[in-house]
Amino acid sequence: MVKQTIQIFARIKPTKQTKTGLYEIDDDDEGCPRLQLIVPRELAAGFINNKKENYSFRFNKIFDQKTLQDEVFACVAQPVIDNALQGFNGTIFAYGQTGSGKTFTITGGPERYSDRGIIPRSLSYIFDTVEKQPDKVYTVHISYLEIYNENGYDLLDPKHEAAKLEELPKVCLMEDADQNIHLKNLTVHQAGSEEDALNLLFMGDTNRMIAETPMNQASSRSHCIFTVHLTCKEEGSVTIRKAKLHLVDLAGSERVSKTGVNGAILTEAKYINLSLHYLEQVILALSEKNRQHVPYRNSMMTSVLRDSLGGNCMTTMIATCSLDKSNMDESISTCRFAQRVAMIKNEVTLNEELDPRLLIAKLKRENAELREQLAMATGEQLSEELSPENIERCENSVKFYLQDSDPEGTLNMGHDLRKIQRCFRILKRYVLEKPQAQPQQVEAFSREPSSLDVGPYRDTETRKLKELLEQRDNEINILVNMLKLERKRASDGQRSALTMASRTSVHSVHNVNSEPLNGHHHQGEAANTSMDNGKGDLINRATSEENIKRQDTFYVSRSTSTTIDDGDSMKAKILGDMSLGRQEAFDIFMRDYRDRDKIEANKQFLKKRYTEAKALGEQLNNSKQKMNHLKKILAQIRIQSEMSDHAGPGGDNQMEVEVRKQVEEEKFV
Ligand code: ADP
Ligand code: MG
């Protein structure tokens, strides 16, 4: 943004009168151009009634009478146009009383080519410049508006050949929600060349002149705004620069008091002055600091030139002065007005905006990228198919990738899974099309997908196999441990092995004496067990050997139903309580045990002893029965002897001794 005060220039209209002394042009103490207006004494004493004689005004530049059009153009217009071509709005307006040379300065004089004013020179300059910049695309549009009695007229309406200004299409002011001014019915015409533009200017000026009659000198009482609309787009740029260049020929600034002729003209004068009055008010408001409200809307002209006055515009004013004796007061008024205008600071910004088409393309690209990112993030495939352009791009990328001799070369297709998959498909097609050329690659390539295809399935199977393997390992470990345990037991000797077998049987019988059998009779007092509680005396008197015999007998008699001699049955009994694994281990142990022969020998020995014990048991039972019988006889003899005691001792005592002897003998059988 550039802050710039409105530039003010003064132009003195040539006059035929050679009188001098009415004005001076020089530089003031600060080196600024100064226009001094010298009021003749008679005038000062008369009309103006002001004692002051000299009025000095500062300007950016003052063009004296002899200044030619080209110099005015170069100083005033060219910098504004240069900025307009860059994208800054510009306004040049001429202000002064009727006949002071405004139209001559803005449009030019009709007589000589060199009298061309700022508008035709600007058009020429614009098209020249455009031609010198082929890298930029400019478009030039033109509109021409005349404001008369607060009405706008389109001077470039091609349908009308107006006899009167009022017959031209009326232009209306429209304001949008953002308070931007729009001119309805004002046609805007594209000019492709300087000639086109000049034709438009000519047409507008023609309409302007036709509408003017001696009774209706609209040109002096109306404001004319010739606008060049410029757009510039640099090649490859996404932005467009736009600028409006207003070239304004204002109505004469003379006062009402000077114009009063008749009713009609007075009305016009009132309007002229009203709109200029409003212009003055706008200028005044803008030149005052901290002034909030600027009355742009009071007149059409100030509304249209709103941006030019205190807005986004580089504005230049040319104050035209006709320094005749009779015009001194108007000239002073014009210069005073210029001084106020010079206080206005405009804020100029570059009118750069994105090209809507480029914006749409950019948004589309962003949208596509976002969709790709979304697809990557969610893992969801995009539903839309790739466009033919994208497919072609994939083809070209793969082709380039394969042709690239750099082994480190990469194929980067961004994040779009569709593109990535498309590239893979293209690659596969290449490989399949040329299997002979690259057999190894084909093999490698064809192997790869198949292994990829079964990947997840193989993982599952591997996991199952691993689990099975662990299970088997555990089972083997258990079996090995069991084997070790059994070996340890076996290493304790043959006795242990037998113990295991016999303990099982003994426990199942009487659960009294857990002392293992070792193939010999017990030594010493092995047991206190009484086999016949009622007849304790007799038994207690028996020797330890007898006890053992008794025990064995008891054992045998009670265990007749057991299967101690039946190896297979015993084994079945032992194994019956075992798990299958244990049984298996036991079988292996039995088969491989190094003292197996001893076990077998022990088994045979045990069998033999068992048979002997059985026979002894039977013998013992017989003896016991005999003894019981003898005891009964003894008891009868005692009863008989007690009964015969009265008769004296007889042969009964002899019988008792005999029986007792038999009992004793039976004991030692
Ligand atoms: P305005 O538009 O301010 O009413 P014009 O531009 O119509 O005044 O000027 C009035 C007359 O003066 C015209 O005939 C014009 O040719 C002539 N004139 C004005 N300024 C100059 C100038 N600088 N050089 C030669 N002729 C001029
Ligand atoms: Mg004029």
Side-chain angles (χ1 to χ4, degrees):
M1 190 178 69
V2 182
K3 277 205 168 190
Q4 196 189 55
T5 52
I6 295 180
Q7 307 285 294
I8 53 167
F9 295 88
R11 187 177 194 186
I12 315 297
K13 181 191 163 188
T15 173
K16 287 173 186 170
Q17 295 170 349
T18 50
K19 262 190 185 174
T20 54
L22 288 175
Y23 71 97
E24 271 181 28
I25 296 170
D26 58 0
D27 289 349
D28 64 9
D29 299 340
E30 294 173 20
C32 285
R34 179 174 61 179
L35 174 64
Q36 290 194 70
L37 298 181
I38 301 149
V39 181
R41 283 186 182 278
E42 64 272 26
L43 282 177
F47 293 107
I48 298 173
N49 195 21
N50 193 333
K51 288 174 186 172
K52 197 173 180 182
E53 291 179 356
N54 281 6
Y55 297 84
S56 66
F57 303 98
R58 274 187 179 183
F59 286 92
N60 291 91
K61 194 168 176 67
I62 300 156
F63 302 110
D64 206 350
Q65 297 185 39
K66 290 179 181 168
T67 310
L68 298 175
Q69 296 283 58
D70 55 351
E71 190 187 339
V72 173
F73 172 77
C75 290
V76 175
Q78 209 167 297
V80 178
I81 298 166
D82 282 337
N83 281 316
L85 288 166
Q86 295 291 318
F88 296 96
N89 293 333
T91 297
I92 300 167
F93 69 92
Y95 181 97
Q97 68 179 115
T98 301
S100 61
K102 299 183 297 293
T103 303
F104 185 84
T105 303
I106 297 294
T107 309
E111 291 173 14
R112 291 173 296 179
Y113 184 72
S114 58
D115 285 344
R116 288 176 302 137
I118 287 173
I119 293 176
R121 288 174 189 271
S122 296
L123 294 172
S124 182
Y125 182 79
I126 286 168
F127 283 100
D128 280 354
T129 312
V130 166
E131 261 182 45
K132 288 174 192 164
Q133 298 180 6
D135 56 323
K136 294 177 182 171
V137 180
Y138 281 96
T139 54
V140 180
H141 288 83
I142 285 163
S143 61
Y144 206 172
L145 171 72
E146 182 166 359
I147 299 170
Y148 178 71
N149 284 353
E150 282 301 299
N151 290 317
Y153 300 97
D154 183 7
L155 291 173
L156 297 183
D157 178 49
K159 294 173 199 160
H160 288 80
E161 285 185 12
K164 286 198 261 178
L165 190 65
E166 287 79 358
E167 289 175 7
L168 289 170
K170 274 196 176 181
V171 177
C172 302
L173 272 180
M174 308 281 282
E175 198 171 312
D176 65 16
D178 297 327
Q179 297 188 331
N180 294 315
I181 297 292
H182 300 275
L183 295 166
K184 195 182 168 191
N185 291 337
L186 181 68
T187 54
V188 178
H189 302 260
Q190 186 168 5
S193 64
E194 183 187 349
E195 191 186 347
D196 286 350
L198 288 173
N199 283 338
L200 288 165
L201 172 66
F202 178 73
M203 183 168 75
D205 281 341
T206 305
N207 280 331
R208 192 176 163 185
M209 281 188 285
I210 288 170
E212 191 177 331
T213 60
M215 288 298 288
N216 178 20
Q217 291 185 332
S219 67
S220 63
R221 294 175 177 83
S222 64
H223 315 286
C224 290
I225 304 169
F226 185 90
T227 306
V228 184
H229 308 257
L230 291 166
T231 63
C232 172
K233 183 175 167 295
E234 276 187 62
E235 257 181 31
S237 168
V238 292
T239 55
I240 294 180
R241 291 179 179 181
K242 288 183 175 177
K244 279 183 197 170
L245 174 67
H246 294 302
L247 303 171
V248 185
D249 184 359
L250 290 176
S253 62
E254 56 275 6
R255 306 284 134 175
V256 179
S257 59
K258 288 213 127 187
T259 56
V261 182
N262 58 41
I265 292 174
L266 270 173
T267 307
E268 288 166 7
K270 191 177 78 183
Y271 274 115
I272 294 161
N273 282 291
L274 257 184
S275 64
L276 285 176
H277 170 69
Y278 290 133
L279 176 65
E280 277 181 40
Q281 283 193 339
V282 166
I283 300 293
L284 200 69
L286 288 167
S287 61
E288 282 177 13
K289 280 183 183 173
N290 303 322
R291 176 83 177 253
Q292 294 293 317
H293 178 67
V294 179
Y296 291 109
R297 290 192 201 180
N298 285 348
S299 81
M300 190 177 194
M301 190 259 289
T302 50
S303 294
V304 173
L305 294 180
R306 181 173 180 157
D307 261 350
S308 309
L309 306 165
N312 173 27
C313 190
M314 289 182 168
T315 303
T316 297
M317 171 188 174
I318 304 173
T320 52
C321 298
S322 174
L323 292 174
D324 288 333
K325 265 190 191 174
S326 57
N327 293 330
M328 287 307 283
D329 54 342
E330 293 293 347
S331 300
I332 292 166
S333 172
T334 298
C335 291
R336 277 191 183 141
F337 181 75
Q339 303 303 296
R340 278 203 211 103
V341 168
M343 294 165 74
I344 298 169
K345 270 190 180 173
N346 282 359
E347 292 180 352
V348 191
T349 51
L350 189 67
N351 301 310
E352 196 170 41
E353 57 188 53
L354 278 170
D355 186 333
R357 286 168 301 173
L358 291 172
L359 190 66
I360 289 167
K362 192 180 168 219
L363 288 173
K364 275 187 177 175
R365 215 166 34 244
E366 276 179 12
N367 195 22
E369 282 173 11
L370 286 172
R371 288 169 73 90
E372 285 170 10
Q373 282 178 18
L374 192 69
M376 288 297 283
T378 58
E380 285 174 17
Q381 185 59 278
L382 293 168
S383 54
E384 289 172 19
E385 288 294 317
L386 278 178
S387 65
E389 291 87 349
N390 275 325
I391 293 173
E392 197 186 345
R393 209 169 291 158
C394 288
E395 289 277 355
N396 292 335
S397 299
V398 171
K399 207 179 281 179
F400 179 79
Y401 173 69
L402 291 174
Q403 286 169 355
D404 186 9
S405 58
D406 181 9
E408 301 291 319
T410 54
L411 177 59
N412 187 2
M413 296 310 296
H415 299 305
D416 192 338
L417 283 173
R418 298 170 305 169
K419 287 182 189 169
I420 294 166
Q421 286 178 350
R422 169 66 64 168
C423 285
F424 271 114
R425 244 176 281 158
I426 297 166
L427 275 168
K428 187 172 184 178
R429 197 190 66 216
Y430 272 110
V431 171
L432 292 175
E433 275 175 2
K434 302 173 184 174
Q436 289 85 13
Q438 296 165 315
Q440 284 179 340
Q441 282 91 326
V442 172
E443 200 184 345
F445 205 82
S446 56
R447 246 201 329 267
E448 193 66 17
S450 63
S451 65
L452 280 171
D453 288 346
V454 298
Y457 177 70
R458 196 177 63 170
D459 282 350
T460 317
E461 203 175 49
T462 307
R463 200 168 57 249
K464 280 183 182 170
L465 285 171
K466 274 185 178 174
E467 286 172 5
L468 205 63
L469 208 65
E470 278 177 24
Q471 198 179 325
R472 290 278 179 273
D473 278 344
N474 286 338
E475 286 175 6
I476 288 167
N477 282 337
I478 290 166
L479 291 174
V480 167
N481 287 337
M482 283 167 58
L483 218 66
K484 281 179 183 171
L485 200 68
E486 297 301 335
R487 275 190 180 161
K488 191 169 174 287
R489 282 182 186 165
S491 68
D492 289 344
Q494 182 184 358
R495 188 167 169 264
S496 297
L498 285 169
T499 303
M500 184 174 75
S502 61
R503 185 187 286 164
T504 313
S505 297
V506 167
H507 280 198
S508 68
V509 176
H510 58 104
N511 199 21
V512 172
N513 192 350
S514 60
E515 193 65 23
L517 292 169
N518 57 3
H520 301 285
H521 289 290
H522 287 276
Q523 300 295 320
E525 293 182 8
N528 298 318
T529 309
S530 166
M531 60 177 280
D532 190 348
N533 292 332
K535 308 295 180 261
D537 293 344
L538 182 65
I539 303 303
N540 286 339
R541 283 202 292 271
T543 61
S544 60
E545 195 175 351
E546 282 172 336
N547 281 339
I548 293 167
K549 276 182 185 174
R550 201 178 296 129
Q551 190 176 345
D552 282 350
T553 306
F554 183 82
Y555 167 72
V556 171
S557 65
R558 294 280 183 97
S559 64
T560 46
S561 61
T562 59
T563 53
I564 194 166
D565 58 339
D566 186 347
D568 289 340
S569 299
M570 184 184 74
K571 183 177 150 191
K573 177 138 184 75
I574 294 166
L575 296 182
D577 297 333
M578 291 184 187
S579 67
L580 281 174
R582 250 179 110 86
Q583 286 179 26
E584 202 179 338
F586 186 72
D587 282 343
I588 294 166
F589 164 72
M590 291 299 283
R591 196 187 59 212
D592 300 338
Y593 186 51
R594 60 187 160 80
D595 292 334
R596 187 170 181 271
D597 293 342
K598 283 183 186 174
I599 293 172
E600 284 300 316
N602 280 333
K603 268 172 79 177
Q604 294 308 319
F605 174 74
L606 199 64
K607 270 186 185 177
K608 194 180 158 199
R609 292 291 294 168
Y610 170 71
T611 312
E612 287 172 4
K614 199 176 176 183
L616 283 169
E618 281 172 3
Q619 198 181 343
L620 193 64
N621 279 342
N622 287 337
S623 298
K624 196 183 167 189
Q625 281 172 3
K626 279 181 188 172
M627 282 170 72
N628 286 341
H629 180 68
L630 290 170
K631 281 179 182 175
K632 280 178 185 172
I633 294 169
L634 263 175
Q636 282 176 353
I637 291 169
R638 279 179 187 161
I639 294 165
Q640 283 174 0
S641 65
E642 283 175 9
M643 285 174 68
S644 60
D645 273 349
H646 304 285
D652 289 336
N653 288 337
Q654 189 62 40
M655 267 182 73
E656 190 181 342
V657 172
E658 194 65 29
V659 172
R660 281 184 186 276
K661 194 179 169 187
Q662 281 181 24
V663 171
E664 286 304 313
E665 281 175 0
E666 200 60 42
K667 274 185 183 175
F668 291 100
V669 170

